[in-house]
Amino acid sequence: MSYQIAPLSRLIEQLERLPGIGHKSAQRLAFHLLNMPEKAAEDFIGALKDAREKLQECTVCCNLADGELCPVCRAGNRDTGLICVVEDPQDVMALERTREYTGTYHVLHGTISPMDGVGPEQLRIKQLLTRVAESDVREIIMATNPTVEGEATAMYLSKLLKPFGVPVTRLAYGIPVGGDLEYADEVTLRRSLEGRSRIE
């Protein structure tokens, strides 16, 4: 005899779709959400709906923004001659936690991954090339994750950027191979930024 309550089962199934959430974690989250006071639950739903409706891509760097520009591109004190290329918006948040990087970013929204059907045309590569062509860029830091896809994407971009004559560097390997930037601690990220090397 199975214990099934349709609305609860549907909620658990939706929570299981979140990254890193297994069945038991989804159950715990579902019961937590159901036990929240009405006002807290409404605030939670409102915040999710608000984020879905109001967040868009920054017109300069493709990071998440609540207007035309993201907070980094809006800031007047950033070094626009330095562009750090990352896979996802959460990588920007990770690097900003170091408080060491003063340049700008470019968010690709993924990596080249033929196995997953993701090619260069699905990424924000054209926008990066346009930025480099139209501005005075001194250095581009490849900060893709140290995975097979991240490395392949960094190498592909470095070849595309070579004709511009801009030095392309890579984060040093303070980040473990197979790891993600968003899970790295501030010290590791700082050392990775400081020890970056040029891609030949």
Side-chain angles (χ1 to χ4, degrees), residues 86-87 90-91 94-95 97 143-146 171 175 179-185 189:
V86 297
E87 293 178 19
Q90 55 263 41
D91 298 333
L95 285 162
R97 283 198 311 266
T144 53
N145 290 318
L171 284 186
I175 298 167
D180 289 330
L181 283 178
E182 66 179 299
Y183 299 118
D185 63 280
L189 283 169

Side-chain angles (χ1 to χ4, degrees), residues 31-48:
F31 282 108
H32 176 78
L33 291 169
L34 291 173
N35 287 323
M36 289 172 84
E38 190 71 26
K39 175 73 168 79
E42 286 172 7
D43 288 346
F44 181 83
I45 293 165
L48 178 60

Side-chain angles (χ1 to χ4, degrees), residues 135-154:
S135 59
D136 188 22
V137 179
R138 295 186 323 279
E139 180 186 356
I140 298 170
I141 304 168
M142 289 296 156
T144 53
N145 290 318
T147 59
V148 172
E149 295 83 4
E151 290 294 327
T153 303

Side-chain angles (χ1 to χ4, degrees), residues 37-162:
E38 190 71 26
K39 175 73 168 79
E42 286 172 7
D43 288 346
F44 181 83
I45 293 165
L48 178 60
K49 189 176 178 193
D50 198 42
R52 299 258 322 157
E53 289 173 357
K54 293 183 179 173
L55 290 178
Q56 59 190 37
E57 284 186 21
C58 174
T59 57
V60 175
C61 72
C62 303
N63 190 15
L64 291 180
D66 59 356
E68 190 174 323
L69 299 175
C70 73
V72 173
C73 291
R74 268 197 314 261
N77 60 345
R78 302 301 289 232
D79 182 355
T80 56
L82 194 58
I83 298 176
C84 183
V85 178
V86 297
E87 293 178 19
D88 297 299
Q90 55 263 41
D91 298 333
V92 172
M93 295 177 80
L95 285 162
E96 283 297 289
R97 283 198 311 266
T98 69
R99 295 191 175 110
E100 293 289 320
Y101 181 67
T102 58
T104 59
Y105 297 94
H106 189 85
V107 181
L108 296 172
H109 291 274
T111 53
I112 297 169
S113 178
M115 295 285 286
D116 297 321
V118 180
E121 59 282 349
Q122 275 91 42
L123 306 179
R124 308 310 187 270
I125 294 173
K126 286 180 186 174
Q127 293 89 330
L128 174 62
L129 298 177
T130 301
R131 278 181 77 184
V132 174
E134 294 177 353
S135 59
D136 188 22
V137 179
R138 295 186 323 279
E139 180 186 356
I140 298 170
I141 304 168
M142 289 296 156
T144 53
N145 290 318
T147 59
V148 172
E149 295 83 4
E151 290 294 327
T153 303
M155 293 307 295
Y156 177 81
L157 288 174
S158 68
K159 286 179 182 158
L160 286 180
L161 291 162
K162 198 164 193 151

Side-chain angles (χ1 to χ4, degrees), residues 14-22 25 29 90 180 182-183:
Q14 291 303 313
L15 291 168
E16 279 185 277
R17 293 183 178 192
L18 297 172
I21 303 295
S25 294
L29 286 170
Q90 55 263 41
D180 289 330
E182 66 179 299
Y183 299 118

